[in-house]
Amino acid sequence: MIMAGHFHLNTPLLESTGMSKRMGTTVYLKMENSQPSGSFKIRGIGHLCQKLASQSKGVVCSSGGNAGMAAAYVARQMCVPATIIVPSSTPQLVVQRLQDQGATVKIVGKVWDDANTEALRLADIEGLTYVPPFDHPLLWEGHASVISEVACSLGPGVKPGAVVVSVGGGGLLCGVVQGLRSVGWTDVPVLAMETVGADCFNAAVKAGKRVTLDDITSEAKCLGAKTVCQKAFECSQSTELNIISELVTDQQALHAVETFLDEERVLVEMACGAALAAVYSGVINRLQTDGCLPVSLGPVVVIVCGGSSVDMQQLSLLRQKLLD
Ligand code: PLV
């Protein structure tokens, strides 16, 4: 299961005929949902824990769910105890999955930022290794491997027309940017997707500085950091890069989750639905019409970030909340 030296897998890059047909351009799916622990988070968190936690008496991670799933998985492989602090907005199914991974789970506060304060406090008083979910250079370095794998899978001479990612606190975005730099693709536009109500990156881009949201009102709780990390904001300001920030509604993200389940037969959570909605809700096509992306676009790579905060029951709860 564990490939030499790291915890993550080299995931498939699959062509989606359904998405390609809609877009009029080839769309590739980077299937991070198939990572151990269910999301891309294992890349960065595996890397960080290998560097920082091998002598640790325990790790503590604040999470909307998926960073915690990765930390719990890695800690178990490393025979280190894990404490995961999640906010009360985290579905019970995630708490259960974390416990099944052998972690101690504490529910603190309403949103991730509250849980994080507690994680930092515990790390301090109990001497645990703090595992941040998105704001650390080792996480970005680990996440960057997703792009080198895409480059390998596409083969020499093929360059994406755009890469689509979801943004919570911005760790995945920073990793993708680092990966693009390492393979010489800084000119590839990155479409940074969030939901309305979990839109700290979009708010920062609009304000020209980092801002802290009053609250997280989106159901995409795993995108629910109130402030984007400094590095992600800096990437948005870089003239060398082309990062396009776009929002979709929760309804659009849910519709994307459902369409993806129907067409690709894969169930992902709302945080991932935000990225999928870039295709299903026509965001990319609109950007082409508006001249923000070329009409003749190279293959679009969607990072299917995955996520464990979903099952059929959670899906019908979301339907009731958002569609009734
Ligand atoms: N989720 C973090 C932060 O939550 C967590 O603790 O799990 N897609 C999925 C499925 C995610 O779980 C996350 C982050 C993202 C995308 C966004 O990644 P980020 O935070 O690196 O931008 C509050």
Side-chain angles (χ1 to χ4, degrees), residues 39-41 62-68 112 133-134 166-172 221-225 269 271-272 305-307:
S39 79
F40 73 95
K41 292 269 176 185
S62 56
S63 178
N66 295 310
W112 171 81
F134 54 78
S166 297
V167 178
L172 177 59
K221 298 299 178 195
C222 280
L223 300 185
E269 67 170 69
C272 182
C305 42

Side-chain angles (χ1 to χ4, degrees), residues 67-305:
M69 287 296 295
Y73 173 85
V74 170
R76 195 151 80 116
Q77 302 289 321
M78 293 175 76
C79 300
V80 168
T83 305
I84 313 298
I85 322 281
V86 296
S88 59
S89 55
T90 306
Q92 177 56 32
L93 84 104
V94 177
V95 174
Q96 186 63 53
R97 283 175 180 172
L98 288 166
Q99 287 166 343
D100 291 346
Q101 216 29 275
T104 303
V105 182
K106 290 192 179 172
I107 301 168
V108 178
K110 183 172 177 263
V111 299
W112 171 81
D113 300 74
D114 308 328
N116 190 46
T117 307
E118 173 64 7
L120 288 166
R121 194 187 68 86
L122 269 189
D124 190 34
I125 59 167
E126 292 186 11
L128 302 173
T129 306
Y130 170 66
V131 178
F134 54 78
D135 194 3
H136 198 289
L138 288 171
L139 296 178
W140 311 329
E141 196 170 272
H143 293 338
S145 59
V146 76
I147 295 297
S148 34
E149 282 174 22
V150 168
C152 264
S153 299
L154 288 177
V158 187
K159 198 195 249 194
V163 176
V164 184
V165 298
S166 297
V167 178
L172 177 59
L173 176 65
C174 292
V176 163
V177 163
Q178 186 161 337
L180 292 175
R181 284 207 166 99
S182 74
V183 300
W185 284 353
T186 45
D187 55 335
V188 171
V190 180
L191 183 50
M193 299 298 300
E194 296 174 290
T195 50
V196 175
D199 47 0
C200 63
F201 181 66
N202 190 263
V205 169
K206 279 187 183 144
K209 60 176 197 292
R210 288 201 300 160
V211 288
T212 299
L213 304 175
D214 290 337
D215 196 8
I216 301 302
T217 54
S218 167
E219 291 300 327
K221 298 299 178 195
C222 280
L223 300 185
K226 285 191 189 172
T227 320
V228 78
C229 69
Q230 175 67 24
K231 178 78 176 176
F233 175 67
E234 283 168 15
C235 289
S236 78
Q237 301 296 297
S238 160
T239 47
E240 173 210 10
L241 301 163
N242 181 7
I243 300 178
I244 305 170
S245 168
E246 287 288 331
L247 300 181
V248 289
T249 62
D250 274 6
Q251 284 76 12
Q252 288 174 311
L254 177 59
H255 176 255
V257 167
E258 294 187 340
T259 311
F260 198 67
L261 180 59
D262 274 348
E263 294 194 357
E264 309 294 335
R265 300 157 312 282
V266 174
L267 181 58
V268 294
E269 67 170 69
M270 289 283 280
C272 182
L276 305 176
V279 175
Y280 291 135
S281 282
V283 175
I284 299 179
N285 283 144
R286 173 172 49 76
L287 289 167
Q288 288 177 293
T289 312
D290 293 351
C292 299
L293 286 173
V295 175
S296 157
L297 196 61
V300 171
V301 174
V302 180
I303 311 287
V304 182
C305 42

